[in-house]
Amino acid sequence: MEGTPQQQATPDHDDAVPWAWQPGEVLAALGSDAGGLAGDTAAARLSQHGPNRLPPPERDPLWRRILVHFDDVLIYILLVAAALKAVLAEWVDFTVILLVALVNGAIGFIQEGRAEKALEGIRDLLSARAEVRRDGAWTVVDADQLVPGDVIRVRAGDRVPADARLLESSELRVEESALTGESVAATKHTRPVGADAALGDRSSMVFSGTLVASGQAIAVVTATGGRTQIGRIQTMIAEVEGLQTPLTRQLARFGKTIAIAIAVMALVMAVIGRAVHDFDLPDLISAAIGFSVAAVPEGLPALVTITLALGVQQMARRRAITRKLPAVETLGSVSTICSDKTGTLTKNEMTVRAVHTATGAFEVTGTGYAPEGDLVPATASAAGHGAPDGGPKQDAALDAVATVMMLCNDARIVQAEGTGRWRLVGEPTEGALRSLGMKAGVEPAGWRRLAVLPFSSETKYMATLDERLNQEDAGTGEAHAGARFIHLKGAPDRVLERCSAQTGPDGRPVPLDREFWEARIEELSARGLRVLAAARTSAGSAGPASQGPASREAATIGHADVQEGLELCGVVGIVDPPRPEAIDAIAQCRRAGVRVKMITGDHAGTAAAIAREMGILDAARQRPAPAPSGHGMAPSGHGTAEAPAAAPEVITGAELEEMSTEALRAVVREVDVFARTSPEHKIRIVSALQSHGEVVAMTGDGVNDAPALTQADVGVAMGIKGTEATKEAAEIVLADDNFATIERAVEEGRRIYDNIRKSVLFLLPTNGAQSLVILVAVLLGLQLPLEPVQVLWINMVTAVTLSLALAYEPAEPDVMNRPPRDPRAGLLTGSYIRRIAIVSLLIGGATLGAFYGLLARGVPLDRAETTAVTLLAFAQLAYLFNCRRLDQSSLSPAMFRGNRAVWVSAAALLVLQSIFVYAPFMHLWFGSAPIGAAEWGVVLVLSVVVFLLTELGKLVDRRWMLARGI
């Protein structure tokens, strides 16, 4: 064999060729074995090798990261203005303009740092997990805790956490395109290959960062972190996209358009000023510079980016991790959510809801695995053969059912130390039955298991041979220790056909009433419950003696022992109960105009019952429960008017297979439950919904769900049970696998988009008003109300104080009571564009009126200019409060609550503007002057007038839209 460990370095060395060694040789060279490493050994190796993570990509140097914030056409305008001031030898103005450009660049740099920090937190939340054998037992750890010598297990959909040599494999195929460029998944095996094999031919290895397409394997880690193949070539698989989104790119293009418009208007203004009003050239240049500086919304792209990043951070706190920033924009437009049932809409904790015995029916209270609840008699209509007078605790048949379910069971329910929470160890259905036994007070300590017949998909039952240890048991019909019983649970049809008797009121067998039990089974099934039956027999009477080995002498059990002659104790109905918070979330989605569709692998009846309980199907508008072989029909009018008059209540996977694309499109908006579906069906459902213009969010957890998540407008992966392949395809990852988190993400997406819209709505009129003041003065040949440096002061002070305040605004009260946003609609609607124009005129007009009014009264020019600057600042502050509500009135007590950043910004503006007015060095730099009470009165009154007139405009808009039904 080529390259033995004696000839080569250890497998974690750069020159090692573990793919050419036998598995045992690799283990020996790594100081490991098939049982994995001991915990203390792994800890020592972690300190030696370091965390299993790729080195971060090399960042640009600080000077380059700073300069990139000046690579913007709007900043270029400021720099050109500064250069012109230098040509005119106006060094104070030159310094101030340059300083403002530097401040804007610094703000962008700081904002980017905050955004990167927010997204870095998201990357940490998305850290991969790995299944590893430590101290001889399988456990799950963070992938960065792996060390050479760890034995790991990978399955279909997993991302390989480190370079590893295969020890065992079963039908393993790995998608290695990120490493080798091969588009076809590579087949893997455990046989050694040549030491000189190329990377793509090392079929006995799996490599960090690749995806398992199918099969499963056990492997030993040979390299971690930067020593992996992907680490050596410095290829970083991105966990979160960068900061650019379609919206920010759109705004960047908008900025360039504004820059061109500013240049054209400045040129026209200069021509008119020179030709018509005979302005001096230096004055014209100053006016053009002032106009250009005033009109530039240089903080707009950075403002939107930081709002998005802060919103993503807030979503992560609410357990929705955003992997791709554009998804935030799309969330506000989601009109349909297609959700899995198990674990997302439901608790994924099976619970017994009902027990039927020959003597009566009982409802079981409590949900989940916690043994908290009771068994209470149901309505008399379900009672049967001679129910006892006592309560449930005195019902011998009920005790018999609980005893069978408790003993014929391999699950355990344990209470965690410290938290007191109950946790299942075992299979969910058995956990539900174990909890039932504990609620009924069955003590398994009174029994000893002698043998077991495991459950199989062929027989659909499980049986145990148990021996009584105590002297009495209410439900056995026996009164002595040492008695042996066979207890059996399973599918009701398989159990019923093996029974000839049933447990009577006194706990002893009576003849079987088959029709009674078939009715009880049908009744529970119609409620959407999964039905299991419980039966028993004494060990000496389970079938013919010649065939039955189970006896007092032989502690074994076989299928022949349970073929006939059993005593049916009762049946139970089990359900995976809905999450209470998911029920509320679905109701909230309906109020928000978002349809919720359940897509599940469950039977149609079970799915429909859960859907009704959760409010997905409206019981008042639905037909009776679906027949076992098909589905019911829903009346028309549920959803869109153009849907067929008889859309099915539930569509099964088999029916979907038979449907043409056109037929599915005709009913897909009306059908809210899809049962017995496969992952492939999800793509057809999503495509059919999208053909109607629906914006679809789709959940998924399996590797086969990835195509559907990619097809959906917003793919949502499960963070707990989801595979790595699914998370890679998704835009959103739910950290708690809870549907309510999706609803909160939609709400958060709407809030973020609203806040971006508010920020743009605030920023554009403030720039419009400043430029309007200068434009009107030049076109009319009047004294300029503002010097260019004073315009720069307004821009700078509002950028530092007011611009980010709206990013922290909480959701509007009606955010989830309005229909989804049209994704084709622009950021600014017609009414918002009108508002921008009107507010620009209001603030600009108030400033012009105040300035020229003060001059007419003989107020000195510097005081009039200072008053104009202060009015612009305070009018913008007043308008900030208008923008806290997009359409609703801001004249409410709520304006004093909810966003502390607004008040901090207002206080900062007041302090900075006071320095501008009263600090002597500011008088030198900006040409300002102290103003008196009269001027302050003008400022405050006109600011309030701007606020009230803007509110009046919002009121007119609301009534106009209401009159037109918008």
Side-chain angles (χ1 to χ4, degrees):
M1 187 189 78
E2 296 184 67
T4 67
Q6 288 73 28
Q7 300 166 329
Q8 301 286 347
T10 56
D12 57 335
H13 191 275
D14 287 349
D15 298 327
V17 287
W19 55 89
W21 303 347
Q22 292 290 348
E25 294 172 331
V26 178
L27 285 169
L30 286 165
S32 184
D33 56 38
L37 298 175
D40 54 353
T41 302
R45 293 191 182 187
L46 183 64
S47 62
Q48 175 188 351
H49 294 275
N52 174 37
R53 62 173 77 104
L54 293 175
E58 186 177 345
R59 298 191 69 182
D60 287 334
L62 180 63
W63 64 267
R64 184 173 295 173
R65 284 186 281 128
I66 292 174
L67 283 182
V68 76
H69 294 283
F70 296 92
D71 185 18
D72 186 290
V73 66
L74 300 176
I75 300 297
Y76 294 161
I77 293 176
L78 293 181
L79 296 177
V80 170
L84 288 173
K85 284 294 184 181
V87 170
L88 296 173
E90 297 180 7
W91 300 111
V92 172
D93 287 3
F94 163 78
T95 305
V96 172
I97 294 174
L98 197 60
L99 182 62
V100 169
L102 290 172
V103 167
N104 275 287
I107 290 171
F109 177 71
I110 293 168
Q111 288 173 341
E112 182 189 77
R114 295 181 68 186
E116 289 287 358
K117 185 177 180 180
L119 294 182
E120 191 61 42
I122 305 305
R123 290 188 181 96
D124 292 341
L125 289 172
L126 287 170
S127 60
R129 307 278 283 171
E131 195 174 4
V132 61
R133 182 176 278 175
R134 293 268 176 89
D135 296 314
W138 288 106
T139 185
V140 177
V141 300
D142 287 336
D144 61 7
Q145 299 298 302
L146 291 181
V147 297
D150 265 328
V151 174
I152 60 172
R153 181 161 56 193
V154 293
R155 312 170 192 266
D158 288 350
R159 180 174 291 285
V160 178
D163 286 5
R165 172 64 163 90
L166 293 175
L167 304 177
E168 302 174 19
S169 70
S170 175
E171 305 294 329
L172 185 68
R173 297 175 72 245
V174 181
E175 201 279 306
E176 297 180 332
S177 60
L179 195 62
T180 66
E182 292 288 339
S183 59
V184 178
T187 301
K188 299 290 184 175
H189 54 73
T190 60
R191 298 185 301 277
V193 297
D196 58 351
L199 186 62
D201 296 327
R202 297 173 189 173
S203 50
S204 59
M205 296 284 294
V206 289
F207 299 105
S208 177
T210 59
L211 284 170
V212 179
S214 62
Q216 57 183 347
I218 294 175
V220 59
V221 173
T222 59
T224 60
R227 290 175 294 277
T228 61
Q229 289 296 326
I230 203 166
R232 290 180 184 182
I233 63 175
Q234 289 296 298
T235 301
M236 192 66 156
I237 296 178
E239 294 293 342
V240 182
E241 285 195 350
L243 296 176
Q244 283 293 307
T245 75
L247 181 59
T248 55
R249 287 192 291 268
Q250 176 186 342
L251 289 172
R253 291 193 298 271
F254 176 63
K256 293 177 182 177
T257 304
I258 287 180
I260 294 171
I262 289 170
V264 171
M265 291 185 69
L267 182 61
V268 171
M269 185 178 69
V271 169
I272 293 176
R274 183 67 174 172
V276 177
H277 303 295
D278 198 24
F279 273 81
D280 292 335
L281 188 60
D283 292 339
L284 271 180
I285 292 176
S286 290
I289 290 173
F291 172 79
S292 301
V293 170
V296 170
E298 63 279 344
L300 190 57
L303 178 63
V304 172
T305 297
I306 195 67
T307 303
L308 279 173
L310 291 174
V312 165
Q313 199 174 32
Q314 180 64 25
M315 287 176 66
R317 293 193 192 101
R318 302 184 76 175
R319 315 298 291 167
I321 304 167
T322 305
R323 294 190 63 256
K324 302 173 184 177
L325 271 182
V328 178
E329 301 167 27
T330 311
L331 276 171
S333 303
V334 166
S335 58
T336 302
I337 300 173
C338 297
S339 176
D340 289 330
K341 177 181 76 69
T342 304
T344 306
L345 293 170
T346 61
K347 292 171 67 72
N348 199 21
E349 293 185 2
M350 303 298 286
T351 302
V352 176
R353 281 277 180 87
V355 180
H356 283 249
T357 67
T359 58
F362 304 90
E363 296 294 327
V364 184
T365 62
T367 60
Y369 301 124
E372 299 164 356
D374 210 341
L375 290 80
V376 296
T379 56
S381 61
H385 304 266
D389 294 333
K393 298 297 185 186
Q394 286 74 47
D395 191 298
L398 178 63
D399 286 340
V401 173
T403 299
V404 171
M405 295 307 191
M406 187 70 150
L407 299 179
C408 189
N409 197 312
D410 288 328
R412 291 184 297 117
I413 299 175
V414 296
Q415 195 168 20
E417 294 183 8
T419 63
R421 298 186 63 180
W422 293 90
R423 179 174 58 89
L424 170 67
V425 180
E427 196 270 331
T429 299
E430 292 204 327
L433 299 175
R434 188 83 173 183
S435 178
L436 171 69
M438 295 170 75
K439 290 175 182 177
V442 176
E443 287 293 340
W447 294 84
R448 175 165 61 99
R449 179 181 291 186
L450 302 177
V452 62
L453 199 59
F455 176 88
S456 74
S457 57
E458 290 78 21
T459 61
K460 295 188 177 179
Y461 62 74
M462 173 186 178
T464 58
L465 175 63
D466 303 293
E467 183 178 67
R468 277 182 31 77
L469 301 178
N470 56 2
Q471 291 298 317
E472 57 179 315
D473 191 280
T476 64
E478 296 285 343
H480 60 274
R484 296 182 179 183
F485 284 83
I486 292 176
H487 298 117
L488 180 141
K489 75 171 190 297
D493 56 332
R494 300 296 180 91
V495 176
L496 192 59
E497 67 186 15
R498 288 168 166 74
C499 294
S500 58
Q502 64 191 37
T503 305
D506 60 355
R508 298 182 180 277
V510 297
L512 181 72
D513 184 347
R514 185 174 295 274
E515 291 184 358
F516 170 82
W517 289 110
E518 288 175 345
R520 299 286 77 75
I521 292 168
E522 184 177 348
E523 177 185 332
L524 291 175
S525 298
R527 291 172 56 184
L529 302 178
R530 179 186 177 191
V531 184
L532 290 178
R536 68 182 181 185
T537 187
S538 64
S541 61
S546 60
Q547 301 176 12
S551 66
R552 297 182 186 276
E553 290 76 28
T556 59
I557 186 172
H559 291 288
D561 295 297
V562 293
Q563 287 303 308
E564 59 184 10
L566 301 183
E567 172 193 332
L568 183 64
C569 303
V571 294
V572 300
I574 304 175
V575 69
D576 182 6
R579 292 178 182 263
E581 66 272 21
I583 296 175
D584 296 336
I586 288 169
Q588 184 63 67
C589 284
R590 294 184 74 161
R591 288 193 293 271
V594 179
R595 289 286 289 267
V596 178
K597 297 185 183 296
M598 177 194 292
I599 303 178
T600 177
D602 247 331
H603 292 280
T606 302
I610 292 291
R612 285 196 191 91
E613 187 172 354
M614 303 199 73
I616 294 174
L617 291 178
D618 189 343
R621 296 191 292 174
Q622 302 298 331
R623 287 193 171 189
S629 61
H631 48 264
M633 306 296 284
S636 62
H638 183 59
T640 56
E642 67 270 22
E649 180 184 82
V650 180
I651 288 181
T652 64
E655 293 165 338
L656 200 151
E657 292 280 0
E658 297 174 359
M659 281 185 170
S660 66
T661 300
E662 291 72 21
L664 178 59
R665 288 177 176 178
V667 299
V668 70
R669 299 177 85 179
E670 287 298 297
V671 178
D672 290 327
V673 179
F674 296 85
R676 306 301 287 172
T677 57
S678 67
E680 291 75 18
H681 294 145
K682 291 185 174 183
I683 299 178
R684 291 194 64 197
I685 295 168
V686 171
S687 298
L689 287 165
Q690 289 172 330
S691 70
H692 293 284
E694 300 278 352
V695 179
V696 183
M698 166 69 78
T699 70
D701 53 16
V703 63
N704 292 331
D705 288 333
L709 266 60
T710 303
Q711 174 71 33
D713 298 279
V714 179
V716 181
M718 303 296 109
I720 299 173
K721 64 180 180 177
T723 62
E724 289 300 315
T726 313
K727 295 174 189 175
E728 285 293 312
E731 284 81 19
I732 305 289
V733 177
L734 302 185
D736 56 2
D737 290 8
N738 192 339
F739 179 85
T741 304
I742 305 177
E743 182 269 330
R744 290 195 294 267
V746 171
E747 178 183 349
E748 193 66 23
R750 292 187 177 192
R751 183 190 74 86
I752 293 168
Y753 199 86
D754 276 356
N755 287 353
I756 291 174
R757 182 173 272 172
K758 290 173 184 177
S759 297
V760 173
L761 203 57
F762 166 74
L763 201 58
L764 293 183
T766 58
N767 288 104
Q770 294 167 29
S771 57
L772 184 67
V773 167
I774 297 174
L775 181 65
V776 169
V778 172
L779 293 181
L780 297 181
L782 302 174
Q783 169 68 46
L784 286 177
L786 302 171
E787 297 293 334
V789 289
Q790 294 171 343
V791 174
L792 284 169
W793 167 258
I794 291 293
N795 276 353
M796 185 171 63
V797 77
T798 54
V800 170
T801 59
L802 302 183
S803 63
L804 274 179
L806 294 172
Y808 298 91
E809 197 66 29
E812 297 212 3
D814 69 337
V815 70
M816 290 299 282
N817 291 324
R818 60 188 190 226
R821 177 180 57 83
D822 184 351
R824 296 164 297 184
L827 184 66
L828 299 176
T829 63
S831 72
Y832 293 151
I833 292 172
R834 285 196 305 273
R835 188 182 305 172
I836 289 169
I838 291 170
V839 173
S840 297
L841 290 170
L842 280 176
I843 298 177
T847 304
L848 288 169
F851 175 76
Y852 293 118
L854 290 173
L855 285 182
R857 289 170 45 202
V859 173
L861 177 62
D862 54 355
R863 282 176 56 191
E865 287 179 339
T866 304
T867 304
V869 171
T870 306
L871 176 55
L872 275 173
F874 276 73
Q876 289 179 35
L877 175 60
Y879 179 57
L880 179 73
F881 284 89
N882 293 122
C883 291
R884 291 193 65 191
R885 291 287 181 269
L886 282 171
D887 299 305
Q888 300 303 313
S889 174
S890 295
L891 290 167
S892 70
M895 288 300 98
F896 296 96
R897 305 186 300 269
N899 187 357
R900 180 170 167 266
V902 167
W903 297 103
V904 173
S905 298
L909 176 67
L910 180 60
V911 170
L912 290 173
Q913 192 59 28
S914 297
I915 293 172
F916 175 86
V917 172
Y918 296 111
F921 71 91
M922 298 296 280
H923 301 164
L924 175 65
W925 277 65
F926 291 96
S928 58
I931 59 175
E935 287 84 4
W936 275 111
V938 169
V939 167
L940 295 177
V941 168
L942 289 179
S943 298
V944 172
V945 168
V946 167
F947 174 80
L948 294 176
L949 289 178
T950 304
E951 285 301 306
L952 179 61
K954 288 165 66 175
L955 176 62
V956 171
D957 272 346
R958 286 198 302 273
R959 291 188 175 178
W960 182 83
M961 289 189 290
L962 187 63
R964 284 156 180 75
I966 299 176

